[in-house]
Amino acid sequence: MKKILIFLCLNLFLYSNEYKIGVVLPLTGASAAYGQSALNGIKLANSMQGSLDNGDKIVLSVVDTKGDKLESYSSSLRLVSNEKVLGLIGEMLTANTLQVMRVAEEKEIPLIAPAATSDRILDKKNFSSRVCFNDSFQGESLAKYVFDKLNYKKVAIIMDQSADYSLGLAKAFENEFKKRGGDILNTFKINSGDKDFKTLIAQLKNLNIDFIYLPLYYNEAALFVRQARNLKLNTPMGSADGVADKTFINLTGDTSKGHIFTDSFDYNNPSTDLAKEFIKNYKGQVPNFTAMGADAYFVMIRAMNNCLSNLSPKCINDEIHKTNFEGVTGKISIDKSGNAKRSVVIKEINNQSQIYKDTINP
């Protein structure tokens, strides 16, 4: 009996195929913290499920976009043309993800974005999808929480006019907050790379506001929060998932105490068996973008397994767009447009840790 089993295993090994999934992430540059975190999740997911149900091996082909739009496009094209990948995962920022989507659509290769939340990023796309929520949902969710649960009625918004991510979140938050009866007293515009917010902080001090909404990426958000608290602007603040990475806390230290934000996942509240298994294998606090990267991988593998009789990019793409899956970050369903339906988690930073506060369902 043992000889038969050994023979079958050897036979499976000798005749199994190897397929590649392209991973396109910012591993260096200004947004490297997002990319490194997602890659950690993708690698762990691959170690947990490194082959298809028929024994065929899955190999990751990883490229660094350096957070650059041109590199996002060219590296994705190399993966498809030279590496012959069956699917793509990436990027992290909306502008760069659009470049990866260009390749996916041109070459008809399925793409799953772990964190590109812009509302319209999937418009007129056939081979692209995401496992994250969109900006409208997370912006509206925080507006509801701030108005209903925290009873804040007067708000100022600080948005990055050079980032689609920030513009979309600001608009969604403002519309929902006004709809509920709240007042937006002022909206201030900054640009990516700004470092001195002293004039803006002085203006905010003259406003009678309950809350400041900062839909920014972690670099600008951290600089603003640190400067504001050092200049004795003590108004409560909140952000979106751009500050979900631990880097935001590292950059702000104690000055981010009380900061609230929207997120996709809470390490202390795993809601699925896969989440519990993933946390056990990770052996530590699982960051949000690590979990999102893992879910992008698991959704891709699930679709590939559903196509074993016809393992083609088209079949994989069709199966991704039928996803109903209990992932690491919770239940995820993906529709024909590639958009994901999922919950939003509200967190607060306290003692330099992310503390779960609430869950808002779609």
Side-chain angles (χ1 to χ4, degrees):
M1 184 65 178
K2 284 184 179 180
K3 289 182 179 179
I4 294 172
L5 287 173
I6 292 169
F7 174 78
L8 289 172
C9 289
L10 285 172
N11 202 44
L12 183 64
F13 176 78
L14 289 171
Y15 292 100
S16 63
N17 295 309
E18 181 177 285
Y19 296 105
K20 294 179 180 179
I21 294 175
V23 180
V24 188
L25 295 171
L27 303 177
T28 57
S31 53
Y34 298 137
Q36 291 286 357
S37 183
L39 182 60
N40 289 339
I42 294 166
K43 284 183 173 179
L44 177 55
N46 178 250
S47 72
M48 292 170 61
Q49 195 171 347
S51 60
L52 300 178
D53 291 345
N54 64 357
D56 289 345
K57 188 178 179 182
I58 300 300
V59 176
L60 302 175
S61 291
V62 181
V63 294
D64 177 16
T65 68
K66 304 176 180 65
D68 179 74
K69 287 192 284 189
L70 182 59
E71 188 62 34
S72 296
Y73 178 80
S74 60
S75 59
S76 301
L77 192 58
R78 287 196 302 272
L79 285 174
V80 175
S81 301
N82 300 339
E83 298 288 328
K84 307 299 181 186
V85 298
L86 270 183
L88 295 165
I89 297 174
E91 215 243 23
M92 299 301 285
L93 305 188
T94 293
N96 298 341
T97 304
L98 279 168
Q99 298 305 310
V100 185
M101 286 181 175
R102 277 181 60 197
V103 174
E105 299 301 319
E106 289 167 5
K107 299 298 183 180
E108 298 187 345
I109 296 291
L111 163 76
I112 301 177
T117 54
S118 176
D119 279 13
R120 303 190 65 180
I121 199 171
L122 291 171
D123 287 1
K124 298 179 180 178
K125 304 293 192 307
N126 297 312
F127 279 81
S128 303
S129 58
R130 56 183 163 194
V131 291
C132 56
F133 41 59
N134 62 21
D135 288 335
S136 284
F137 184 51
Q138 65 167 330
E140 290 166 4
S141 295
L142 192 66
K144 291 174 185 177
Y145 183 79
V146 164
F147 188 89
D148 296 341
K149 298 288 182 72
L150 302 181
N151 203 34
Y152 296 148
K153 309 302 179 187
K154 297 178 181 179
V155 168
I157 298 174
I158 301 171
M159 66 180 182
D160 183 344
Q161 63 184 344
S162 61
D164 290 340
Y165 167 81
S166 186
L167 294 171
L169 283 162
K171 182 179 179 181
F173 181 96
E174 179 177 356
N175 290 343
E176 183 63 31
F177 196 74
K178 284 181 174 178
K179 188 170 80 174
R180 304 184 92 76
D183 292 325
I184 306 295
L185 297 192
N186 208 333
T187 298
F188 299 92
K189 297 176 182 178
I190 68 163
N191 289 293
S192 298
D194 285 353
K195 291 181 169 56
D196 187 348
F197 301 108
K198 294 183 182 67
T199 301
L200 174 53
I201 290 165
Q203 291 177 277
L204 286 163
K205 280 187 170 183
N206 292 324
L207 292 177
N208 181 26
I209 50 177
D210 304 318
F211 182 76
I212 301 170
Y213 183 47
L214 302 169
L216 310 174
Y217 291 124
Y218 63 78
N219 283 316
E220 288 76 20
L223 281 170
F224 179 86
V225 169
R226 201 168 62 222
Q227 290 177 30
R229 295 311 188 217
N230 289 338
L231 291 170
K232 309 303 180 186
L233 176 62
N234 297 316
T235 307
M237 302 182 198
S239 297
D241 60 344
V243 305
D245 191 85
K246 180 73 172 174
T247 304
F248 176 72
I249 295 176
N250 295 339
L251 291 171
T252 54
D254 290 334
T255 61
S256 60
K257 182 179 180 181
H259 199 92
I260 62 172
F261 62 96
T262 43
D263 205 351
S264 307
F265 171 74
D266 183 64
Y267 161 80
N268 293 304
N269 292 277
S271 60
T272 67
D273 290 339
L274 183 59
K276 293 170 186 174
E277 183 184 358
F278 188 84
I279 291 167
K280 182 180 178 181
N281 281 280
Y282 189 81
K283 298 176 182 176
Q285 268 197 341
V286 180
N288 168 60
F289 292 116
T290 299
M292 296 301 291
D295 272 344
Y297 177 86
F298 283 127
V299 168
M300 184 75 75
I301 294 301
R302 182 178 180 275
M304 292 174 77
N305 274 324
N306 289 341
C307 292
L308 289 180
S309 61
N310 175 31
L311 196 54
S312 65
K314 186 181 183 306
C315 179
I316 296 167
N317 186 63
D318 289 344
E319 288 299 323
I320 290 170
H321 290 176
K322 299 175 187 174
T323 296
N324 279 293
F325 180 60
E326 292 194 356
V328 177
T329 60
K331 293 182 179 179
I332 302 169
S333 61
I334 299 176
D335 61 23
K336 291 180 180 179
S337 71
N339 282 300
K341 186 176 181 181
R342 52 168 308 118
S343 60
V344 163
V345 173
I346 308 291
K347 293 182 182 177
E348 179 179 295
I349 297 172
N350 209 332
N351 294 324
Q352 298 190 33
S353 296
Q354 299 178 357
I355 309 300
Y356 170 83
K357 300 297 289 185
D358 204 354
T359 296
I360 298 176
N361 294 310

